[in-house]
Amino acid sequence: MRAQILRKRLRYSNMTTESNKGPPSTITLAFSVITHFLLLAPVLYILVLAFGNYSFFAWHPICMSVGVGLLITEAVFSISGEAYIASKLARRNRVTIHWILHTIGLALIGIGFVIIIVNKVNMNNSHFATPHSQLGLVTIVLSVLTATFGILAKNTVWVYPRVRPILIKVAHACGGIGITILLLATLITGTYTRWWPGNTTGRDLTFASLFFAGFLILIKPVLGAISRCRVAFGPPSTDS
């Protein structure tokens, strides 16, 4: 009974929010365009370098850059800051896009992970001997755990009323923010490995572009997480 009441409240809240949406402002659209450019430019640059120096190993940066730089980041941005999508689609549809992009992105990351393992076996090299590879391994494991926990965040009625839904939402939001930072850090540190065929200027621009793109993407999720933490851990409301 309580689960049914919670579903009705969530449905009503979503309908109310969606009915109040208006067209995005010019500033908001410009914010979205700039963020997408900052993501797309370094990924395209990495792809050009990878295909220009093609080998079996090149599929590792190809899969990782597309999986992280385009799909995972777009999954986060589509649910929080992408102006055009937010103005055209209901939140439940954006949640669907969010987990679909995450799933495809994680699949590509998994393929890239397998490629690097196979390549090291073929080349008889040491496994996870560099800071980049160690960071990547930890990040991939945490990414899978966070994505799995996201299933619970999407279906909080499974544990209601034993666990407050807002606690699950806060945990998923904070975990997602942390994983996004780690994934971008992994992608950036990959440009500082021996594989990097570009010049120093290109590497610095790639670093700057991904850094500022990540900052812009995470502004709203961080503010939202702070707001939810205040509600979850603050004093109880005096409203009836």
Side-chain angles (χ1 to χ4, degrees), residues 27-45:
I27 295 177
T28 306
L29 286 173
F31 175 87
S32 295
V33 171
I34 292 172
T35 304
H36 283 300
F37 173 78
L38 291 174
L39 288 172
L40 185 61
V43 171
L44 290 178
Y45 181 54

PDB file of all heavy atoms in Angstrom, residues 27-45:
ATOM      1  N   ILE A  27      20.898  31.665 -23.051  1.00  0.00           N
ATOM      2  CA  ILE A  27      22.085  31.385 -22.243  1.00  0.00           C
ATOM      3  C   ILE A  27      22.205  29.894 -21.958  1.00  0.00           C
ATOM      4  O   ILE A  27      23.294  29.306 -22.045  1.00  0.00           O
ATOM      5  CB  ILE A  27      22.033  32.185 -20.926  1.00  0.00           C
ATOM      6  CG1 ILE A  27      22.102  33.692 -21.211  1.00  0.00           C
ATOM      7  CG2 ILE A  27      23.162  31.761 -19.994  1.00  0.00           C
ATOM      8  CD1 ILE A  27      21.996  34.549 -19.973  1.00  0.00           C
ATOM      9  N   THR A  28      21.074  29.263 -21.638  1.00  0.00           N
ATOM     10  CA  THR A  28      21.090  27.832 -21.343  1.00  0.00           C
ATOM     11  C   THR A  28      21.475  27.020 -22.572  1.00  0.00           C
ATOM     12  O   THR A  28      22.244  26.052 -22.487  1.00  0.00           O
ATOM     13  CB  THR A  28      19.707  27.384 -20.844  1.00  0.00           C
ATOM     14  OG1 THR A  28      19.313  28.193 -19.738  1.00  0.00           O
ATOM     15  CG2 THR A  28      19.738  25.930 -20.411  1.00  0.00           C
ATOM     16  N   LEU A  29      20.932  27.410 -23.731  1.00  0.00           N
ATOM     17  CA  LEU A  29      21.303  26.721 -24.971  1.00  0.00           C
ATOM     18  C   LEU A  29      22.784  26.911 -25.291  1.00  0.00           C
ATOM     19  O   LEU A  29      23.458  25.973 -25.724  1.00  0.00           O
ATOM     20  CB  LEU A  29      20.435  27.230 -26.128  1.00  0.00           C
ATOM     21  CG  LEU A  29      18.982  26.767 -26.150  1.00  0.00           C
ATOM     22  CD1 LEU A  29      18.216  27.483 -27.257  1.00  0.00           C
ATOM     23  CD2 LEU A  29      18.893  25.253 -26.337  1.00  0.00           C
ATOM     24  N   ALA A  30      23.283  28.115 -25.087  1.00  0.00           N
ATOM     25  CA  ALA A  30      24.699  28.374 -25.334  1.00  0.00           C
ATOM     26  C   ALA A  30      25.568  27.541 -24.402  1.00  0.00           C
ATOM     27  O   ALA A  30      26.615  27.013 -24.807  1.00  0.00           O
ATOM     28  CB  ALA A  30      24.993  29.860 -25.148  1.00  0.00           C
ATOM     29  N   PHE A  31      25.143  27.401 -23.159  1.00  0.00           N
ATOM     30  CA  PHE A  31      25.845  26.574 -22.181  1.00  0.00           C
ATOM     31  C   PHE A  31      25.930  25.130 -22.673  1.00  0.00           C
ATOM     32  O   PHE A  31      26.987  24.491 -22.599  1.00  0.00           O
ATOM     33  CB  PHE A  31      25.103  26.648 -20.846  1.00  0.00           C
ATOM     34  CG  PHE A  31      25.647  25.747 -19.781  1.00  0.00           C
ATOM     35  CD1 PHE A  31      26.678  26.163 -18.956  1.00  0.00           C
ATOM     36  CD2 PHE A  31      25.110  24.485 -19.594  1.00  0.00           C
ATOM     37  CE1 PHE A  31      27.171  25.329 -17.970  1.00  0.00           C
ATOM     38  CE2 PHE A  31      25.595  23.640 -18.606  1.00  0.00           C
ATOM     39  CZ  PHE A  31      26.629  24.063 -17.793  1.00  0.00           C
ATOM     40  N   SER A  32      24.827  24.625 -23.215  1.00  0.00           N
ATOM     41  CA  SER A  32      24.800  23.252 -23.724  1.00  0.00           C
ATOM     42  C   SER A  32      25.722  23.093 -24.922  1.00  0.00           C
ATOM     43  O   SER A  32      26.463  22.106 -25.026  1.00  0.00           O
ATOM     44  CB  SER A  32      23.373  22.849 -24.111  1.00  0.00           C
ATOM     45  OG  SER A  32      22.529  22.809 -22.982  1.00  0.00           O
ATOM     46  N   VAL A  33      25.676  24.042 -25.836  1.00  0.00           N
ATOM     47  CA  VAL A  33      26.504  23.963 -27.048  1.00  0.00           C
ATOM     48  C   VAL A  33      27.989  23.985 -26.690  1.00  0.00           C
ATOM     49  O   VAL A  33      28.788  23.192 -27.218  1.00  0.00           O
ATOM     50  CB  VAL A  33      26.165  25.122 -28.006  1.00  0.00           C
ATOM     51  CG1 VAL A  33      27.167  25.170 -29.160  1.00  0.00           C
ATOM     52  CG2 VAL A  33      24.745  24.966 -28.554  1.00  0.00           C
ATOM     53  N   ILE A  34      28.386  24.870 -25.791  1.00  0.00           N
ATOM     54  CA  ILE A  34      29.784  24.968 -25.385  1.00  0.00           C
ATOM     55  C   ILE A  34      30.245  23.673 -24.731  1.00  0.00           C
ATOM     56  O   ILE A  34      31.345  23.168 -25.007  1.00  0.00           O
ATOM     57  CB  ILE A  34      29.983  26.157 -24.425  1.00  0.00           C
ATOM     58  CG1 ILE A  34      29.765  27.481 -25.173  1.00  0.00           C
ATOM     59  CG2 ILE A  34      31.373  26.128 -23.797  1.00  0.00           C
ATOM     60  CD1 ILE A  34      29.762  28.687 -24.265  1.00  0.00           C
ATOM     61  N   THR A  35      29.397  23.124 -23.869  1.00  0.00           N
ATOM     62  CA  THR A  35      29.759  21.883 -23.182  1.00  0.00           C
ATOM     63  C   THR A  35      29.941  20.741 -24.171  1.00  0.00           C
ATOM     64  O   THR A  35      30.918  19.973 -24.089  1.00  0.00           O
ATOM     65  CB  THR A  35      28.685  21.508 -22.152  1.00  0.00           C
ATOM     66  OG1 THR A  35      28.501  22.594 -21.234  1.00  0.00           O
ATOM     67  CG2 THR A  35      29.088  20.266 -21.375  1.00  0.00           C
ATOM     68  N   HIS A  36      29.019  20.629 -25.130  1.00  0.00           N
ATOM     69  CA  HIS A  36      29.146  19.571 -26.135  1.00  0.00           C
ATOM     70  C   HIS A  36      30.400  19.749 -26.981  1.00  0.00           C
ATOM     71  O   HIS A  36      31.077  18.768 -27.327  1.00  0.00           O
ATOM     72  CB  HIS A  36      27.907  19.558 -27.036  1.00  0.00           C
ATOM     73  CG  HIS A  36      26.710  18.937 -26.392  1.00  0.00           C
ATOM     74  ND1 HIS A  36      26.688  17.632 -25.960  1.00  0.00           N
ATOM     75  CD2 HIS A  36      25.477  19.436 -26.107  1.00  0.00           C
ATOM     76  CE1 HIS A  36      25.502  17.349 -25.437  1.00  0.00           C
ATOM     77  NE2 HIS A  36      24.758  18.443 -25.511  1.00  0.00           N
ATOM     78  N   PHE A  37      30.731  20.988 -27.320  1.00  0.00           N
ATOM     79  CA  PHE A  37      31.945  21.240 -28.107  1.00  0.00           C
ATOM     80  C   PHE A  37      33.189  20.834 -27.331  1.00  0.00           C
ATOM     81  O   PHE A  37      34.115  20.220 -27.885  1.00  0.00           O
ATOM     82  CB  PHE A  37      32.027  22.724 -28.483  1.00  0.00           C
ATOM     83  CG  PHE A  37      33.319  23.094 -29.150  1.00  0.00           C
ATOM     84  CD1 PHE A  37      33.529  22.804 -30.486  1.00  0.00           C
ATOM     85  CD2 PHE A  37      34.328  23.731 -28.427  1.00  0.00           C
ATOM     86  CE1 PHE A  37      34.744  23.133 -31.102  1.00  0.00           C
ATOM     87  CE2 PHE A  37      35.526  24.068 -29.035  1.00  0.00           C
ATOM     88  CZ  PHE A  37      35.734  23.759 -30.376  1.00  0.00           C
ATOM     89  N   LEU A  38      33.225  21.171 -26.036  1.00  0.00           N
ATOM     90  CA  LEU A  38      34.380  20.839 -25.218  1.00  0.00           C
ATOM     91  C   LEU A  38      34.546  19.331 -25.056  1.00  0.00           C
ATOM     92  O   LEU A  38      35.661  18.842 -24.812  1.00  0.00           O
ATOM     93  CB  LEU A  38      34.249  21.491 -23.833  1.00  0.00           C
ATOM     94  CG  LEU A  38      34.377  23.016 -23.799  1.00  0.00           C
ATOM     95  CD1 LEU A  38      34.092  23.540 -22.397  1.00  0.00           C
ATOM     96  CD2 LEU A  38      35.762  23.452 -24.263  1.00  0.00           C
ATOM     97  N   LEU A  39      33.465  18.584 -25.182  1.00  0.00           N
ATOM     98  CA  LEU A  39      33.546  17.120 -25.121  1.00  0.00           C
ATOM     99  C   LEU A  39      33.906  16.524 -26.479  1.00  0.00           C
ATOM    100  O   LEU A  39      34.738  15.616 -26.582  1.00  0.00           O
ATOM    101  CB  LEU A  39      32.215  16.537 -24.647  1.00  0.00           C
ATOM    102  CG  LEU A  39      31.847  16.738 -23.188  1.00  0.00           C
ATOM    103  CD1 LEU A  39      30.432  16.270 -22.933  1.00  0.00           C
ATOM    104  CD2 LEU A  39      32.828  15.988 -22.284  1.00  0.00           C
ATOM    105  N   LEU A  40      33.275  17.035 -27.517  1.00  0.00           N
ATOM    106  CA  LEU A  40      33.438  16.438 -28.843  1.00  0.00           C
ATOM    107  C   LEU A  40      34.836  16.690 -29.416  1.00  0.00           C
ATOM    108  O   LEU A  40      35.430  15.788 -30.025  1.00  0.00           O
ATOM    109  CB  LEU A  40      32.379  17.004 -29.790  1.00  0.00           C
ATOM    110  CG  LEU A  40      32.324  16.404 -31.203  1.00  0.00           C
ATOM    111  CD1 LEU A  40      32.021  14.919 -31.124  1.00  0.00           C
ATOM    112  CD2 LEU A  40      31.264  17.119 -32.046  1.00  0.00           C
ATOM    113  N   ALA A  41      35.373  17.887 -29.218  1.00  0.00           N
ATOM    114  CA  ALA A  41      36.654  18.246 -29.820  1.00  0.00           C
ATOM    115  C   ALA A  41      37.796  17.309 -29.388  1.00  0.00           C
ATOM    116  O   ALA A  41      38.509  16.772 -30.249  1.00  0.00           O
ATOM    117  CB  ALA A  41      36.991  19.699 -29.505  1.00  0.00           C
ATOM    118  N   PRO A  42      38.013  17.083 -28.083  1.00  0.00           N
ATOM    119  CA  PRO A  42      39.121  16.194 -27.702  1.00  0.00           C
ATOM    120  C   PRO A  42      38.898  14.742 -28.109  1.00  0.00           C
ATOM    121  O   PRO A  42      39.853  14.036 -28.442  1.00  0.00           O
ATOM    122  CB  PRO A  42      39.183  16.336 -26.179  1.00  0.00           C
ATOM    123  CG  PRO A  42      37.836  16.814 -25.775  1.00  0.00           C
ATOM    124  CD  PRO A  42      37.359  17.671 -26.899  1.00  0.00           C
ATOM    125  N   VAL A  43      37.634  14.294 -28.085  1.00  0.00           N
ATOM    126  CA  VAL A  43      37.359  12.909 -28.495  1.00  0.00           C
ATOM    127  C   VAL A  43      37.688  12.716 -29.974  1.00  0.00           C
ATOM    128  O   VAL A  43      38.327  11.733 -30.367  1.00  0.00           O
ATOM    129  CB  VAL A  43      35.886  12.539 -28.212  1.00  0.00           C
ATOM    130  CG1 VAL A  43      35.543  11.183 -28.846  1.00  0.00           C
ATOM    131  CG2 VAL A  43      35.633  12.490 -26.712  1.00  0.00           C
ATOM    132  N   LEU A  44      37.277  13.663 -30.812  1.00  0.00           N
ATOM    133  CA  LEU A  44      37.597  13.580 -32.238  1.00  0.00           C
ATOM    134  C   LEU A  44      39.115  13.622 -32.448  1.00  0.00           C
ATOM    135  O   LEU A  44      39.652  12.909 -33.311  1.00  0.00           O
ATOM    136  CB  LEU A  44      36.922  14.716 -33.005  1.00  0.00           C
ATOM    137  CG  LEU A  44      35.399  14.631 -33.139  1.00  0.00           C
ATOM    138  CD1 LEU A  44      34.861  15.850 -33.886  1.00  0.00           C
ATOM    139  CD2 LEU A  44      34.993  13.349 -33.867  1.00  0.00           C
ATOM    140  N   TYR A  45      39.790  14.443 -31.685  1.00  0.00           N
ATOM    141  CA  TYR A  45      41.246  14.543 -31.803  1.00  0.00           C
ATOM    142  C   TYR A  45      41.914  13.212 -31.444  1.00  0.00           C
ATOM    143  O   TYR A  45      42.832  12.746 -32.143  1.00  0.00           O
ATOM    144  CB  TYR A  45      41.748  15.661 -30.894  1.00  0.00           C
ATOM    145  CG  TYR A  45      43.243  15.884 -30.934  1.00  0.00           C
ATOM    146  CD1 TYR A  45      43.909  16.103 -32.133  1.00  0.00           C
ATOM    147  CD2 TYR A  45      43.988  15.891 -29.757  1.00  0.00           C
ATOM    148  CE1 TYR A  45      45.276  16.322 -32.175  1.00  0.00           C
ATOM    149  CE2 TYR A  45      45.358  16.114 -29.781  1.00  0.00           C
ATOM    150  CZ  TYR A  45      45.988  16.319 -30.993  1.00  0.00           C
ATOM    151  OH  TYR A  45      47.350  16.533 -31.020  1.00  0.00           O
TER     152      TYR A  45
END
